[in-house]
Amino acid sequence: MIKKVKLLDGREVTIRYLKPDDCDRLYEYFCKGINEEDILLFKDNVRDYYVVKSWCENMDFDKVIPIVAEEGSSIISTGTLHLRGHGWFRYFGKIRVSVCIRCRGIGLGKVMIETLIDLAKDRGLKVVMAEVLSVQKVALKVFKECGFVEACKIENIAKDVNMKPMDLYLLLYYMEEPRKL
């Protein structure tokens, strides 16, 4: 366990590392806790049992640190910190967070982001990046509340389910003030 936290609505949840035996509960989370529109925002087909099973069976904490938020025996949020082990990129991480539909608006996303930032600091990272699509307005707001700054916006990089163009925001969190050149 990483920590227990109390959310804005008073409920307590446990934030912990993903375990190999979480496969069925993680798959259930993706099938029942995430709506169809949000599923399309994932980079992998999280409704494919074998994709989820592969994640749980092949964890490598030197490449990806997966965490979950748990209420009772249910997974209600996921987060990952993606790492590189060599070169200039070794001080740079990427984070991804998802929160189930019924647990949005109560501070869980913010707690997950802050937990991933703490894990990045523990690993000695200097910068963490998040990618947020323009349709994810609440996520964009929460990342900025956590201290992320907009590095750039790539316009019309993707299309939503209705073929409406979406922009991609690249957000950065600096562990310390960046030096000015």
Side-chain angles (χ1 to χ4, degrees):
M1 176 179 68
I2 297 174
K3 62 184 172 183
K4 283 191 182 278
V5 295
K6 187 176 257 189
L7 302 175
L8 298 176
D9 67 352
R11 72 176 102 169
E12 284 193 7
V13 299
T14 301
I15 310 295
R16 63 169 178 81
Y17 296 107
L18 183 70
K19 301 180 296 194
D21 65 354
D22 284 328
C23 181
D24 290 339
R25 293 184 314 129
L26 184 61
Y27 180 69
E28 181 179 356
Y29 163 79
F30 288 126
C31 289
K32 296 180 181 176
I34 304 295
N35 65 26
E36 291 299 321
E37 291 173 353
D38 288 346
I39 285 297
L40 298 175
L41 301 174
F42 284 87
K43 294 185 184 222
D44 296 302
N45 181 2
V46 295
R47 293 229 171 123
D48 179 335
Y49 180 79
Y50 294 101
V51 168
V52 175
K53 183 177 181 189
S54 173
W55 290 345
C56 292
E57 290 178 348
N58 300 303
M59 286 187 277
D60 181 347
F61 279 65
D62 290 326
K63 292 183 180 176
V64 178
I65 300 174
I67 63 170
V68 295
E70 186 176 54
E71 181 180 36
S73 63
S74 297
I75 292 174
I76 57 172
S77 182
T78 64
T80 52
L81 171 62
H82 299 258
L83 308 163
R84 298 279 190 237
H86 64 282
W88 68 270
F89 221 54
R90 72 182 175 272
Y91 298 108
F92 184 88
K94 273 188 183 180
I95 67 171
R96 297 182 186 144
V97 174
S98 70
V99 177
C100 79
I101 284 289
R102 65 182 178 80
C103 296
R104 294 182 181 172
I106 56 173
L108 182 54
K110 187 173 185 178
V111 166
M112 294 295 281
I113 292 167
E114 290 169 345
T115 302
L116 291 166
I117 290 170
D118 289 343
L119 291 171
K121 286 177 183 174
D122 291 347
R123 287 289 181 122
L125 300 184
K126 304 296 182 200
V127 180
V128 176
M129 183 177 80
E131 300 170 335
V132 181
L133 289 166
S134 52
V135 295
Q136 299 173 287
K137 293 180 185 349
V138 174
L140 186 60
K141 178 180 177 261
V142 173
F143 273 104
K144 287 181 176 181
E145 287 174 359
C146 290
F148 281 77
V149 295
E150 185 179 321
C152 72
K153 176 173 109 175
I154 305 169
E155 295 183 352
N156 301 321
I157 195 167
K159 297 197 183 302
D160 69 10
V161 292
N162 299 313
M163 300 307 290
K164 181 181 172 192
M166 294 186 292
D167 303 330
L168 176 67
Y169 292 90
L170 299 181
L171 306 172
L172 299 177
Y173 181 94
Y174 294 94
M175 302 299 171
E176 53 194 47
E177 267 312 298
R179 291 191 327 236
K180 304 284 185 211
L181 296 177

